[in-house]
Amino acid sequence: MDQTFAQRILTKIGLAILVLALVDLLYLNYWVLQNQKLNIKDQKLEDVRTIQMVVTPSPVPKESPSPKPSFEPKVETKTIETKTVVEKESQTIVQTAQKEIFIPIGSGTTSSNSYVDLAGLEVTIDTNKYSQIESVVFEASIWVQDGNGKMFAQLYNTTDKHPVWNSEISTSSSVGTLATSSKITLDSGARTYRVQTKTNLTSFAAHVDNARLKIVLK
């Protein structure tokens, strides 16, 4: 009897274990199925979201209304020029030009190496006939033969027997060159003046052309 009781207990325990194993197996199967369903739903939701993202059109930018041109009245600005007229008294300025007087003497040549009178080249001047003399100079076109050496010319006061101071002119040119002396002083009254010339090389003549006196009056 004891063995039968023990067998029954073991049988019941075995059945209980079998039932528990079946229940556990069913629960596991149920849990797996539920997880699969959830995964399928999640996958569908992801697909729907992806499709929505692709299909959703981008927003169209709205055109902003262009501002209406404002019509402002044009304002014209006129500048009025005011002219001031100043009347000036007319003044008459009288200018008297200086008078230039040229007194010709003549032309000549020499080969002397000391001052000699050139024949015919003399003039008599009376300073009393010229009022208010500003200045007097001796002028002539002078040159030396072939441009060799140097020639000189001057005025000589034959009345008082002395050269006219500062009247000497010179050149080494082979062509006529207008030479002008420094300002000279003519002795008062009537005096006779001659042109004297010399060259430093006697083989080459000194030439004086168109000698003259230039008198400027005040």
Side-chain angles (χ1 to χ4, degrees):
M1 185 173 177
D2 291 332
Q3 291 179 353
T4 302
F5 180 74
Q7 288 177 352
R8 288 179 179 176
I9 290 174
L10 290 173
T11 301
K12 288 180 180 180
I13 291 171
L15 289 172
I17 292 170
L18 181 60
V19 170
L20 288 173
L22 290 173
V23 171
D24 186 52
L25 181 61
L26 290 173
Y27 177 76
L28 287 174
N29 289 333
Y30 175 77
W31 185 79
V32 170
L33 288 173
Q34 290 296 326
N35 282 338
Q36 288 179 352
K37 288 180 180 180
L38 288 174
N39 288 334
I40 291 170
K41 286 182 180 180
D42 291 339
Q43 184 65 34
K44 287 182 179 180
L45 287 174
E46 288 293 329
D47 293 340
V48 170
R49 287 177 183 174
T50 303
I51 293 170
Q52 285 180 350
M53 290 177 64
V54 173
V55 174
T56 303
S58 58
V60 178
K62 294 182 180 180
E63 294 183 358
S64 59
S66 58
K68 294 182 180 180
S70 59
F71 296 96
E72 296 182 358
K74 292 183 179 179
V75 179
E76 293 184 358
T77 304
K78 293 184 179 180
T79 303
I80 300 174
E81 296 182 357
T82 58
K83 294 182 179 179
T84 304
V85 179
V86 179
E87 294 184 358
K88 295 182 179 180
E89 294 182 0
S90 60
Q91 296 179 352
T92 303
I93 299 174
V94 179
Q95 293 182 340
T96 56
Q98 289 181 324
K99 294 181 180 180
E100 294 182 348
I101 300 173
F102 293 91
I103 301 175
I105 303 175
S107 303
T109 183
T110 185
S111 296
S112 173
N113 60 359
S114 61
Y115 274 123
V116 293
D117 297 338
L118 294 180
L121 271 68
E122 68 175 37
V123 64
T124 299
I125 299 175
D126 187 354
T127 57
N128 294 324
K129 294 181 179 179
Y130 302 94
S131 61
Q132 296 182 329
I133 295 176
E134 175 72 21
S135 64
V136 181
V137 293
F138 170 53
E139 293 181 342
S141 177
I142 56 177
W143 55 284
V144 63
Q145 182 181 347
D146 298 330
N148 291 312
K150 190 173 184 179
M151 60 85 59
F152 303 84
Q154 68 176 9
L155 278 179
Y156 185 80
N157 183 341
T158 60
T159 304
D160 299 320
K161 308 298 182 184
H162 67 77
V164 177
W165 316 123
N166 300 320
S167 65
E168 186 178 72
I169 55 178
S170 62
T171 187
S172 297
S173 175
S174 62
V175 295
T177 302
L178 180 63
T180 303
S181 71
S182 301
K183 290 182 180 181
I184 61 176
T185 301
L186 300 179
D187 293 328
S188 298
R191 296 290 188 274
T192 300
Y193 300 95
R194 289 180 182 171
V195 177
Q196 293 184 334
T197 307
K198 69 177 180 178
T199 178
N200 62 352
L201 297 176
T202 57
S203 299
F204 302 96
H207 297 265
V208 176
D209 296 328
N210 302 317
R212 65 186 182 182
L213 284 173
K214 177 182 176 182
I215 300 175
V216 178
L217 302 179
K218 293 181 181 178

